[in-house]
Every structure is written in C-alpha cells, then in structure tokens.
Amino acid sequence: MIKFELEENGSYVRSRVAITLNNVTVMTFLPRGVSLPVFWNESDLLSKKIEESHDPDFKDWSWYVFKLRKVKISGSYFIRESDLQVIKNGKVYGHTMLFDDPVKTPQKRGRLHGVSFPNNNILCGNRQ
C-alpha cells in the first residue's frame, strides 16, 4: 500500500509518503563488522538467517535474510508547483510523476486539486 498526503504550502506542495509492505523478505550482504541498516520494528521479525557469502570474491562478507510480517517506510519532501521539482533539505532530485496523467497530453499547469482514491489507499493529486 502506498499513501501520499499532500498539503499546499505557498508555492510548494508538501508530500508525505508511506509505503507499507506485508509478508516481506529482506536480503542483503555486507562485510563482516558492518552494522545492519534495520528499518523495521523488531516485533515484525518472523525469522532471521545469516550465512557465509555465496560469492568467492566476497568471502569476508555475510549474507542476511530476514522474513518480516510488515515493513513501513515513510518520509516527506516538497514539490515545487511551478515545475514539479522534488526537493528535500535543499537538494533537488528531479521531476515528480505524481501528477502525470498517462491518458492525457500535458497541459498548462493550474492550481493543485486533491483526488482521493477508493479505500483511501492512495491520496494523490492532479492538475486542472
């Protein structure tokens, strides 16, 4: 499930996004001694397996497999209304496709209007 919450803020739109995944397997391999970047709640951990690396070129690395009940990743950023640039902490990341309509030719930008999707799974916007 992906959920966007949009809020107008002057000439910007503040976007809060949350991605929730259920029944997830997270796999990674890291050099020994490097801390795992844990981004889930420990209560959602179903199982954990640590193995030696499967690749001879990475013999000093370990392979991690985590099975999780749920993972939620969230964050926020700003979208400049004039050109749809995504900006976080002063850094520009490029244009968002959040307001793109794949069945319509891009038109002159107007004011932002929110559109709610069924079951409130996604809240996004379109330009009219």
Side-chain angles (χ1 to χ4, degrees):
M1 178 172 70
I2 300 174
K3 181 178 180 183
F4 289 94
E5 295 177 0
L6 305 174
E7 173 187 324
E8 288 194 77
N9 187 340
S11 59
Y12 293 85
V13 175
R14 181 177 182 159
S15 176
R16 292 182 187 93
V17 63
I19 300 169
T20 304
L21 305 166
N22 293 305
N23 299 318
V24 178
T25 300
V26 176
M27 295 182 289
T28 188
F29 65 102
L30 295 168
R32 287 190 194 123
V34 172
S35 298
L36 284 165
V38 176
F39 53 91
W40 54 82
N41 291 328
E42 288 296 321
S43 62
D44 288 320
L45 182 64
L46 298 172
S47 69
K48 161 172 88 170
K49 184 167 56 168
I50 303 170
E51 301 176 358
E52 294 300 315
S53 175
H54 304 185
D55 188 329
D57 291 333
F58 293 91
K59 62 183 175 196
D60 294 332
W61 292 46
S62 295
W63 182 263
Y64 299 87
V65 180
F66 299 93
K67 294 193 184 279
L68 302 155
R69 183 175 294 111
K70 178 173 75 171
V71 172
K72 184 174 182 179
I73 303 168
S74 61
S76 65
Y77 55 90
F78 287 93
I79 301 168
R80 190 168 46 213
E81 281 201 46
S82 63
D83 58 3
L84 301 180
Q85 289 282 354
V86 173
I87 302 168
K88 182 165 181 149
N89 299 328
K91 183 176 180 178
V92 177
Y93 287 90
H95 293 88
T96 181
M97 293 174 46
L98 187 60
F99 307 108
D100 286 358
D101 186 339
V103 296
K104 289 185 182 176
T105 305
Q107 299 174 3
K108 183 178 176 185
R109 292 185 193 18
R111 296 288 297 154
L112 177 72
H113 300 281
V115 175
S116 203
F117 284 78
N119 302 321
N120 290 323
N121 286 338
I122 302 174
L123 176 67
C124 74
N126 67 3
R127 296 203 168 260
Q128 297 180 352

